[in-house]
Amino acid sequence: MSQKWRMATREVHAGEARIKPENALTTPVFQSSTFTFADTADLARFTEARRHGASGARVEYGRYGNPTVAAAERKLAELEDGESALLFSSGMAAISLVLLSFLSQGAHVVMTDDCYRRTRQFLGDFIGRYGVDSTVVPVGDYGALESAITPNTRLVVTESPTNPYMRIVDLPRLVSIAQRRHVRTVIDSTFATPVNQRPLRMGIDLVVHSATKYLGGHNDLLAGAVIGSTDLLAQVRETQSIIGAVCDPHTAYLLIRGLKTLSLRMAHQNRVGLAVASFLEQHPAVQRVYYPGLVTHPDYTIACEQMDGFGGVVSFELNADLKATCQFVDTLRIPYIGPSLGGAESLIVPVALASYSDYSPEDRAAIGISDTLVRLAVGLEDADDLIDDIRQALDCMLT
Ligand SMILES: *Cc1c(COP(=O)(O)O)cnc(C)c1O
């Protein structure tokens, strides 16, 4: 029913019961690990229905589901135009349990590079120990993608926009290659959100999010989500019911609350992201800016075709060295220094120190992470205040 509504209306109303317990306006936090039965006949009816795959919304135990979590899942499914959604305790739990659900010994995965570092670790060293092989291909090289697919390839795993270079994958093109070879596709769409990009409509099979970022939106929760067909999600649900890593009901409540303002927040972060990127591009202390909404970005054309906005993350390199880059970051007054993105408070990190501190300067250079690369995730502050702050810190570098 709510599929007819536009995004902002779905954010507020979708997935939640119209009339809630005690006529509360908000969906309550069902802080309960167990859900009980009136009598043994009730229990027998439940187990019988479940045996026929029709237990409906009813759950018996928190690892198999929770009504607050289920409301958040229904809302997310509607926002992504998917049949079903499943929430997890973190984005990495979502990604790793989705991959575990579809891979077994001897399977092969193709992954585009510039993916979230922990995802690359999971698909590399970690799952390699269980006999799963993976090939990494450069984002934007569709010939390499196609030739990397073998008869054993079960999944093509991608991310768009990427971190930290904000590369954009041509999703219809990736989907057509994978479909021709009968391989399923998974995208980490965390940086885009369903406001800026709807991968399922472009033929992607499964969309994964770190809900910790824009979806939660307030830097106060950790959660992950996967959205896709009910069939595929049933397999992931089965994995989750064995392994756990479930989203707790209070987190689901915070997520429902955060999702109600997703469009409002994204409109602001899209606008401020572009304003900050455009400002940075013309400042003499800045060497290069990576933001897909800039015409100078290599993927600008694809970004305009498949996205409705470019988000609040801007990466840039300074005309400086690591020390001066750190001084720049320390001179800023508004952004906090720390990882993550998508919340109310702007966050900034010198990438060399944050995500790649265990690499030697030579190894960082080899994978193209410059010492002066900075990632700024704009929050909900005023654009002019942020730009003024960045200007004063950049101007310090010129004197
Ligand atoms: C943060 C992030 C993750 C991991 O999510 P967690 O909620 O921290 O586990 C995965 N992918 C991307 C793109 C992210 O930004």
Side-chain angles (χ1 to χ4, degrees):
M1 167 193 74
S2 46
Q3 292 289 356
K4 283 192 288 232
W5 289 331
R6 291 169 189 81
M7 192 59 98
T9 314
R10 282 189 240 168
E11 287 164 8
V12 176
H13 293 288
E16 296 180 80
R18 181 72 187 177
I19 303 299
K20 304 171 188 78
E22 305 296 337
N23 296 304
L25 178 54
T26 57
T27 295
V29 181
F30 287 93
Q31 194 71 45
S32 187
S33 56
T34 285
F35 300 86
T36 58
F37 300 91
D39 49 34
T40 51
D42 188 25
L43 171 61
R45 271 194 303 277
F46 172 80
T47 48
E48 182 63 15
R50 189 178 52 189
R51 221 156 43 81
H52 296 104
S55 58
R58 186 162 179 187
V59 290
E60 75 202 289
Y61 186 63
R63 192 167 6 85
Y64 306 135
N66 171 284
T68 314
V69 177
E73 288 171 342
R74 288 192 300 267
K75 194 185 285 291
L76 268 175
E78 295 219 23
L79 298 186
E80 276 290 5
D81 285 331
E83 279 178 1
S84 285
L86 194 58
L87 279 167
F88 298 85
S89 52
S90 71
M92 275 319 297
I95 293 165
S96 44
L97 294 196
V98 164
L99 298 177
L100 281 177
S101 302
F102 298 102
L103 298 172
S104 49
Q105 192 176 22
H108 174 251
V109 186
V110 177
M111 168 179 43
T112 54
D113 69 354
D114 205 25
C115 270
Y116 191 70
R117 187 164 173 224
R118 295 294 185 185
T119 305
R120 279 186 281 132
Q121 281 180 342
F122 182 84
L123 278 176
D125 307 342
F126 185 87
I127 204 163
R129 303 206 314 255
Y130 302 90
V132 173
D133 199 18
S134 62
T135 306
V136 182
V137 299
V139 172
D141 188 342
Y142 299 92
L145 175 77
E146 175 129 42
S147 30
I149 295 175
T150 74
N152 292 331
T153 307
R154 293 290 165 268
L155 294 174
V156 169
V157 177
T158 193
E159 193 172 308
S160 187
T162 66
N163 170 30
Y165 291 113
M166 307 297 293
R167 295 297 308 270
I168 307 296
V169 174
D170 184 337
L171 295 180
R173 194 162 170 193
L174 175 132
V175 164
S176 80
I177 294 168
Q179 283 182 348
R180 197 157 59 234
R181 307 290 296 273
H182 308 289
V183 178
R184 288 202 182 102
T185 47
V186 180
I187 187 176
D188 180 337
S189 192
T190 299
F191 273 48
T193 80
V195 173
N196 285 344
Q197 160 176 295
R198 267 91 42 208
L200 296 176
R201 277 200 209 161
M202 292 184 259
I204 293 278
D205 294 305
L206 291 164
V207 177
V208 179
H209 285 283
S210 168
T212 309
K213 316 295 168 53
Y214 292 110
L215 302 183
H218 293 78
N219 291 325
D220 59 3
L221 64 84
L222 275 169
V226 56
I227 304 101
S229 72
T230 303
D231 261 9
L232 289 181
L233 279 244
Q235 293 186 56
V236 185
R237 208 174 279 278
E238 184 60 22
T239 309
Q240 185 180 50
S241 62
I242 295 168
I243 292 183
V246 293
C247 178
D248 75 85
H250 185 249
T251 296
Y253 171 85
L254 290 174
L255 181 56
I256 289 170
R257 176 181 161 121
L259 285 172
K260 298 206 185 223
T261 55
L262 181 64
S263 289
L264 283 174
R265 291 186 284 106
M266 288 314 291
H268 182 85
Q269 279 162 311
N270 286 340
R271 188 173 60 77
V272 179
L274 183 58
V276 166
S278 307
F279 164 77
L280 286 167
E281 199 169 42
Q282 52 74 46
H283 196 284
V286 177
Q287 188 170 36
R288 185 157 177 201
V289 183
Y290 302 90
Y291 186 75
L294 295 177
V295 283
T296 49
H297 190 279
D299 302 321
Y300 174 74
T301 313
I302 309 167
C304 290
E305 277 167 19
Q306 72 184 28
M307 301 183 75
D308 295 331
F310 311 107
V313 179
V314 185
S315 298
F316 51 101
E317 283 158 357
L318 298 170
N319 286 317
D321 55 14
L322 182 57
K323 184 157 168 271
T325 302
C326 291
Q327 269 163 7
F328 160 75
V329 169
D330 288 333
T331 310
L332 291 166
R333 297 180 190 123
I334 294 177
Y336 282 91
I337 301 170
S340 203
L341 59 121
E345 299 84 5
S346 288
L347 285 162
I348 192 163
V349 279
V351 177
L353 282 190
S355 309
Y356 295 91
S357 55
D358 51 337
Y359 282 47
S360 70
E362 295 74 33
D363 288 347
R364 278 202 301 268
I367 57 163
I369 302 288
S370 134
D371 279 353
T372 72
L373 181 66
V374 175
R375 189 185 81 186
L376 171 66
V378 304
L380 297 177
E381 301 94 342
D382 182 89
D384 291 335
D385 286 338
L386 268 177
I387 289 173
D388 286 347
D389 188 30
I390 298 165
R391 182 187 293 110
Q392 64 81 25
L394 287 175
D395 287 351
C396 284
M397 299 176 66
L398 298 175
T399 54

